Coordinates of all heavy atoms in Angstrom, one line a residue:
R206 N -22.0 -96.6 10.5 CA -21.3 -96.9 11.8 C -20.7 -98.3 11.4 O -21.4 -99.3 11.2 CB -22.3 -97.0 13.0 CG -21.6 -97.4 14.3 CD -21.8 -98.9 14.5 NE -21.4 -99.4 15.8 CZ -21.4 -100.7 16.1 NH1 -21.8 -101.6 15.2 NH2 -20.9 -101.1 17.2
V207 N -19.3 -98.4 11.4 CA -18.7 -99.5 11.1 C -18.4 -100.4 12.3 O -17.7 -100.0 13.2 CB -17.3 -99.2 10.3 CG1 -16.7 -100.5 9.7 CG2 -17.5 -98.1 9.2
D208 N -19.0 -101.6 12.2 CA -18.9 -102.5 13.4 C -17.5 -103.1 13.5 O -17.0 -103.6 12.5 CB -20.0 -103.6 13.1 CG -20.1 -104.6 14.3 OD1 -20.5 -104.0 15.4 OD2 -19.9 -105.7 14.2
A209 N -17.0 -103.2 14.8 CA -15.8 -104.0 15.1 C -14.7 -103.8 14.1 O -14.2 -104.7 13.5 CB -16.2 -105.4 15.2
V210 N -14.3 -102.4 13.8 CA -13.3 -102.2 12.8 C -12.0 -102.9 13.0 O -11.4 -103.5 12.0 CB -13.0 -100.7 12.8 CG1 -12.1 -100.3 11.6 CG2 -14.4 -99.9 12.7
P211 N -11.4 -103.0 14.2 CA -10.1 -103.8 14.2 C -10.3 -105.3 13.8 O -9.3 -105.9 13.2 CB -9.8 -103.7 15.8 CG -10.4 -102.4 16.3 CD -11.7 -102.4 15.5
F212 N -11.4 -105.9 14.1 CA -11.7 -107.2 13.6 C -11.9 -107.3 12.1 O -11.4 -108.2 11.4 CB -12.9 -107.8 14.3 CG -12.7 -108.0 15.8 CD1 -13.2 -107.1 16.7 CD2 -12.1 -109.2 16.3 CE1 -13.2 -107.4 18.0 CE2 -11.9 -109.3 17.6 CZ -12.4 -108.5 18.5
L213 N -12.4 -106.3 11.5 CA -12.6 -106.2 10.1 C -11.2 -106.1 9.4 O -11.1 -106.8 8.3 CB -13.5 -104.9 9.7 CG -13.5 -104.6 8.2 CD1 -14.2 -105.7 7.4 CD2 -14.2 -103.3 8.0
L214 N -10.3 -105.5 9.9 CA -9.0 -105.3 9.3 C -7.9 -106.4 9.8 O -6.8 -106.4 9.3 CB -8.4 -104.0 9.7 CG -9.1 -102.8 9.2 CD1 -8.3 -101.5 9.4 CD2 -9.6 -102.9 7.7
D215 N -8.4 -107.3 10.6 CA -7.5 -108.4 11.2 C -7.4 -109.5 10.1 O -8.3 -110.2 9.8 CB -8.1 -108.8 12.5 CG -7.2 -109.9 13.2 OD1 -6.1 -110.1 12.6 OD2 -7.5 -110.3 14.3
T216 N -6.2 -109.6 9.6 CA -5.9 -110.7 8.6 C -5.0 -111.9 9.2 O -4.6 -112.7 8.4 CB -5.2 -110.1 7.3 OG1 -3.9 -109.5 7.8 CG2 -6.1 -109.0 6.8
K217 N -4.7 -111.9 10.4 CA -3.7 -112.8 11.0 C -4.2 -114.2 10.8 O -3.4 -115.1 10.9 CB -3.3 -112.4 12.4 CG -4.4 -112.5 13.4 CD -3.8 -112.2 14.9 CE -4.9 -112.4 15.9 NZ -5.9 -111.3 15.9
G218 N -5.5 -114.5 10.8 CA -6.0 -115.8 10.8 C -6.0 -116.4 9.3 O -6.2 -117.5 9.1
A219 N -5.9 -115.4 8.3 CA -6.0 -115.8 6.9 C -4.7 -116.3 6.4 O -3.6 -115.6 6.6 CB -6.5 -114.8 6.1
Q220 N -4.7 -117.4 5.7 CA -3.4 -117.8 5.1 C -3.1 -117.0 3.9 O -1.9 -117.2 3.3 CB -3.5 -119.3 4.7 CG -3.7 -120.2 6.0 CD -3.8 -121.6 5.7 OE1 -4.2 -122.0 4.6 NE2 -3.5 -122.5 6.6
D221 N -4.0 -116.3 3.2 CA -3.7 -115.4 2.1 C -3.5 -114.0 2.6 O -3.7 -113.0 1.7 CB -4.8 -115.5 1.1 CG -6.1 -115.0 1.6 OD1 -6.2 -114.8 2.8 OD2 -7.0 -114.8 0.9
A222 N -3.1 -113.7 3.9 CA -3.0 -112.3 4.3 C -2.0 -111.5 3.5 O -2.1 -110.3 3.5 CB -2.5 -112.4 5.8
G223 N -1.0 -112.2 2.9 CA -0.1 -111.4 2.0 C -0.8 -110.6 0.9 O -0.2 -109.6 0.3
R224 N -2.0 -111.0 0.5 CA -2.8 -110.2 -0.5 C -3.1 -108.9 0.0 O -3.6 -108.0 -0.8 CB -3.9 -111.0 -1.0 CG -3.5 -112.3 -1.7 CD -4.7 -112.7 -2.7 NE -5.7 -113.4 -1.9 CZ -6.8 -113.9 -2.5 NH1 -7.0 -113.8 -3.8 NH2 -7.7 -114.5 -1.6
L225 N -3.1 -108.6 1.3 CA -3.4 -107.3 1.9 C -2.4 -107.0 3.0 O -2.7 -107.1 4.1 CB -4.9 -107.3 2.4 CG -5.4 -105.9 2.9 CD1 -5.4 -105.0 1.8 CD2 -6.7 -106.0 3.5
P226 N -1.1 -106.7 2.6 CA -0.1 -106.6 3.5 C -0.3 -105.4 4.5 O 0.2 -105.4 5.6 CB 1.2 -106.4 2.7 CG 0.7 -105.8 1.3 CD -0.7 -106.5 1.2
R227 N -1.1 -104.3 4.1 CA -1.3 -103.2 4.9 C -2.8 -103.0 5.0 O -3.4 -102.2 4.1 CB -0.7 -101.9 4.3 CG 0.9 -102.1 4.3 CD 1.5 -101.0 3.7 NE 1.2 -99.6 4.3 CZ 1.5 -98.5 3.7 NH1 2.2 -98.5 2.5 NH2 1.2 -97.3 4.3
P228 N -3.5 -103.7 6.0 CA -5.0 -103.6 6.0 C -5.5 -102.2 6.0 O -6.6 -101.9 5.5 CB -5.3 -104.4 7.3 CG -4.2 -105.3 7.4 CD -3.0 -104.6 6.9
H229 N -4.7 -101.2 6.7 CA -5.3 -99.9 6.7 C -5.5 -99.2 5.3 O -6.2 -98.2 5.2 CB -4.4 -98.9 7.6 CG -4.8 -99.1 9.1 ND1 -5.6 -98.3 9.8 CD2 -4.3 -100.0 10.1 CE1 -5.7 -98.7 11.0 NE2 -4.9 -99.7 11.3
D230 N -4.7 -99.7 4.4 CA -4.9 -99.2 3.0 C -6.4 -99.5 2.6 O -6.9 -98.7 1.8 CB -3.9 -99.9 2.1 CG -2.5 -99.5 2.3 OD1 -2.3 -98.4 2.9 OD2 -1.6 -100.1 1.7
Y231 N -6.9 -100.6 3.0 CA -8.4 -100.9 2.6 C -9.3 -99.9 3.3 O -10.1 -99.4 2.6 CB -8.7 -102.3 2.9 CG -10.1 -102.5 2.5 CD1 -10.5 -102.4 1.2 CD2 -11.0 -103.1 3.4 CE1 -11.9 -102.6 0.8 CE2 -12.4 -103.3 3.1 CZ -12.7 -103.0 1.7 OH -14.1 -103.3 1.3
L232 N -9.0 -99.5 4.5 CA -9.8 -98.5 5.2 C -9.8 -97.2 4.4 O -10.8 -96.5 4.3 CB -9.4 -98.4 6.7 CG -10.4 -97.8 7.6 CD1 -11.8 -98.6 7.6 CD2 -9.8 -97.9 9.1
R233 N -8.6 -96.8 3.9 CA -8.5 -95.7 3.1 C -9.3 -95.8 1.8 O -9.9 -94.8 1.4 CB -7.0 -95.4 2.7 CG -6.1 -94.9 4.0 CD -4.7 -94.6 3.6 NE -4.0 -94.2 4.8 CZ -3.2 -95.1 5.5 NH1 -3.2 -96.4 5.1 NH2 -2.6 -94.7 6.5
D234 N -9.3 -97.0 1.3 CA -10.1 -97.2 0.0 C -11.5 -97.0 0.3 O -12.3 -96.4 -0.5 CB -9.9 -98.5 -0.5 CG -8.4 -98.7 -1.1 OD1 -7.7 -97.8 -1.3 OD2 -8.0 -99.9 -1.3
L235 N -12.0 -97.5 1.5 CA -13.4 -97.3 1.8 C -13.8 -95.9 1.9 O -14.8 -95.4 1.5 CB -13.7 -98.0 3.1 CG -13.8 -99.6 3.2 CD1 -14.2 -100.0 4.5 CD2 -14.8 -100.1 2.2
R236 N -12.9 -95.1 2.7 CA -13.2 -93.7 2.8 C -13.1 -92.9 1.5 O -14.0 -92.0 1.3 CB -12.1 -93.1 3.8 CG -12.2 -91.6 4.0 CD -13.5 -91.1 4.9 NE -13.4 -89.7 5.0 CZ -12.8 -89.1 6.0 NH1 -12.2 -89.8 6.8 NH2 -12.9 -87.8 6.1
A237 N -12.2 -93.3 0.6 CA -12.2 -92.7 -0.6 C -13.4 -92.9 -1.5 O -13.9 -92.0 -2.1 CB -10.8 -93.1 -1.4
F238 N -13.7 -94.2 -1.5 CA -15.0 -94.5 -2.2 C -16.2 -93.7 -1.7 O -17.0 -93.3 -2.5 CB -15.2 -96.0 -2.1 CG -16.4 -96.6 -2.8 CD1 -16.5 -96.8 -4.1 CD2 -17.6 -96.7 -2.1 CE1 -17.6 -97.3 -4.8 CE2 -18.8 -97.2 -2.6 CZ -18.8 -97.4 -4.0
L239 N -16.3 -93.7 -0.4 CA -17.4 -93.0 0.2 C -17.4 -91.5 -0.2 O -18.4 -91.0 -0.6 CB -17.3 -93.0 1.8 CG -18.5 -92.7 2.6 CD1 -19.4 -93.8 2.6 CD2 -18.0 -92.4 4.0
G240 N -16.2 -90.9 -0.2 CA -16.1 -89.5 -0.6 C -16.5 -89.3 -2.1 O -17.0 -88.2 -2.4
R241 N -16.1 -90.2 -2.9 CA -16.5 -90.0 -4.3 C -18.0 -90.2 -4.6 O -18.5 -89.4 -5.4 CB -15.8 -91.1 -5.2 CG -14.2 -91.0 -5.3 CD -13.7 -91.9 -6.4 NE -14.0 -93.3 -6.2 CZ -13.3 -94.2 -5.6 NH1 -12.1 -93.7 -4.9 NH2 -13.6 -95.4 -5.4
R242 N -18.6 -91.0 -3.8 CA -20.1 -91.1 -3.9 C -20.8 -90.0 -3.3 O -21.9 -89.6 -3.7 CB -20.5 -92.4 -3.3 CG -20.1 -93.7 -4.1 CD -20.8 -93.7 -5.5 NE -20.1 -94.8 -6.3 CZ -20.8 -96.0 -6.4 NH1 -21.9 -96.3 -5.8 NH2 -20.2 -96.9 -7.2
D243 N -20.3 -89.5 -2.1 CA -20.9 -88.3 -1.4 C -19.9 -87.7 -0.5 O -19.5 -88.3 0.5 CB -22.1 -88.9 -0.6 CG -22.8 -87.8 0.2 OD1 -22.4 -86.6 0.2 OD2 -23.9 -88.2 0.8

Side-chain angles (χ1 to χ4, degrees):
R206 176 263 187 185
V207 189
D208 186 59
V210 184
F212 292 99
L213 172 63
L214 299 189
D215 186 359
T216 62
K217 66 177 181 290
Q220 295 180 335
D221 62 346
R224 292 200 284 181
L225 186 63
R227 297 172 57 187
H229 277 266
D230 287 346
Y231 180 54
L232 203 51
R233 292 186 179 91
D234 290 344
L235 285 182
R236 176 70 180 276
F238 177 82
L239 197 76
R241 292 195 301 271
R242 291 295 174 96
D243 181 351

